[in-house]
Amino acid sequence: MSVIRRSLTGTAKGRLLSAGLGLVGWISLLTGLVYLIAELVTAYMTGSYQMISAGQAWFDFDVASLNLMQAIIQRYIHPYLWDPIIAGVLRWPIWSLMGGLGVFLVLAFPFKGGK
Amino acid sequence: MWIKRKRGWELPESAATPEHRFRDRRRLLAAMGVGGAILAAPAVLRLNAAKQEPANDTLAEPTDPTVGLYPVAQNARYTLDRALTDEQYPTTYNNFYEFGSHKSIHAAAQALPIRPWSVTIDGLVEKAVTIDADDLIRMMPLEERLYRHRCVEAWSMAVPWSGFPMTALVDLARPLSSAKYVRMETFLNPDVAPGQKQNWYPWPYIEGLTMAEATNELAFIVTGLYGKPLLKQNGAPLRLATPWKYGFKSTKSIVRFNFTEERPVSFWETLQGSEYGFWANINPDVPHPRWSQATERVLGTDERVPTQMFNGYGEFVADLYKGMTGERLFM
């Protein structure tokens, strides 16, 4: 990973990509936080906890791409790649996936002040 | 002469890792650890919950109790303009989204327990009933019909369905005059149907017909195929066949017929209403938003043939749709 980071920060394009990945990390982290807060608020207001899965979030965002991706992967790559692998991940809470990805990217590609 | 021998742990200054890279690696490892913990937390929680749940026992499948009813007499009124599709194709090339969106679901569908199987007839009827599927099948006038089947994916087959006219089921149900539609539900059992574990989809599968469509002579409740009881991958123990409509209208493994005043919103309408509508009548001149419907690939052959209006069943159904302006009749 350090080799990748060294190669990324060695050039202007690389530094831009590194910054971009860091930004993606922050967006992921904030998105995960928003969904976590939404789950907690809903639980408080309704008295019952309802998880928002990554699959549900994708469905709500753009069901057509979700359905298309499933068909493409199951029919043209391998059925098991979608189910149980990808579908299994999509059953995880969206806050967990986005939060985990966000933390990794933010820590791995931190913003650094210029010299 | 003084010869210096380096001890194993002695390194030159140039070999030392720069401090900022040392600290970067520690930050990266910490990031992987924290990120991985957040990712893994729900799985660990689910695993602990699963350990506390008792295992479910599955019973061995009994032999189909209706096997002795087949083969049934063929109704010569319904003929084909092509050869019957070889049995291996309709029984191994299937769409059954409850088990996946690939074409090899025939193996996965074997997990579906089809006995005992209850069918509920309710809603706007004189008296709601729940009836055992075998009792229902035995009280109906069974016959074999040769139908063309056209999928919205632009493939087709010609099959010998066995079953009974849907109008016989409507007669049994005795719907009230206020009933305008029949809403059909497929089973809901995520324990055996992996597609239903994807609970972001609006399971169970729902489809609907108008009362006029349901009582049209072509509407057929299928209980058998190729002179034998229906196989699981084909929608056992009973499914719908509406040969003038795209195949997704033909609900599989039905558990409920609900007579209603409001037009039901189907599974595919909910998912992609811009591509799949309520009516779904076959029309080669109305393309799917992503592909043409002008031709169809005939399963089991290398042929691609022109698609016919209403799949060639216009003489039976065209009058149902006369005067229906403003409706998306062919999606």
Side-chain angles (χ1 to χ4, degrees), chain B residues 11 21 25 33 58 67 73 88 95 103 112 126 135 150 170 184 267 276:
Chain B
L11 295 169
R21 289 197 185 130
R25 276 201 287 263
T58 53
V67 66
Q88 64 169 308
N95 279 327
K103 291 295 190 281
L112 178 65
E126 286 186 12
D135 292 339
R150 172 58 157 85
V170 174
M184 290 156 284
F267 179 88
Y276 306 102

Side-chain angles (χ1 to χ4, degrees), chain A residues 11 13-14 22 28-29 41 45-47 55 57 64 66-67 97 101 111 113:
Chain A
T11 63
K13 268 189 189 174
S28 292
L29 196 56
V41 167
M45 293 182 71
T46 64
L66 171 64
N67 192 246
L97 281 181
L101 175 68
F111 285 131

Side-chain angles (χ1 to χ4, degrees), chain B residues 114-121 129-134 136 185 187 237-238 253-257:
Chain B
I114 55 172
R115 291 302 191 285
W117 191 275
S118 295
V119 178
T120 297
I121 302 173
V129 294
T130 296
I131 185 170
D132 180 79
D134 296 317
L136 176 64
E185 270 184 37
F187 75 93
L238 71 170
S253 301
I254 301 170
V255 294
R256 184 182 180 203
F257 296 88

Side-chain angles (χ1 to χ4, degrees), chain A residues 1-2 5-6 51 53-57 59 63-64 66-68 70-72 74-75 79 82-83 86-88 90-93 95-101 103-108 110 112, chain B residues 20-21 24-25 27-28 30-32 34-43 45-46 95 97 99-104 153 194-195 197-202 267-268 270-272 275-276 290:
Chain A
M1 191 71 187
S2 59
R5 289 187 61 241
R6 277 203 301 276
M51 180 193 75
S53 66
Q56 184 65 58
F59 181 94
V63 60
L66 171 64
N67 192 246
L68 184 62
Q70 178 179 355
I72 288 173
Q74 285 203 299
R75 294 181 190 190
W82 182 266
D83 192 356
I86 295 174
L90 289 177
R91 282 194 287 272
W92 290 8
W95 63 259
S96 160
L97 281 181
M98 298 297 275
L101 175 68
V103 164
F104 173 74
L105 289 176
V106 163
L107 292 182
K112 287 182 180 172
Chain B
H20 72 278
R21 289 197 185 130
D24 284 350
R25 276 201 287 263
R27 182 165 47 225
L28 176 64
M32 289 170 68
V34 173
I38 292 175
L39 282 170
L45 290 169
R46 266 207 302 274
N95 279 327
Y97 271 62
F99 296 96
S101 63
H102 52 99
K103 291 295 190 281
S104 305
E153 295 171 344
K197 288 191 174 116
Q198 298 175 54
N199 54 12
W200 43 87
Y201 288 128
F267 179 88
W268 280 109
T270 304
L271 245 59
Q272 286 178 250
E275 297 187 5
Y276 306 102
R290 287 182 278 139

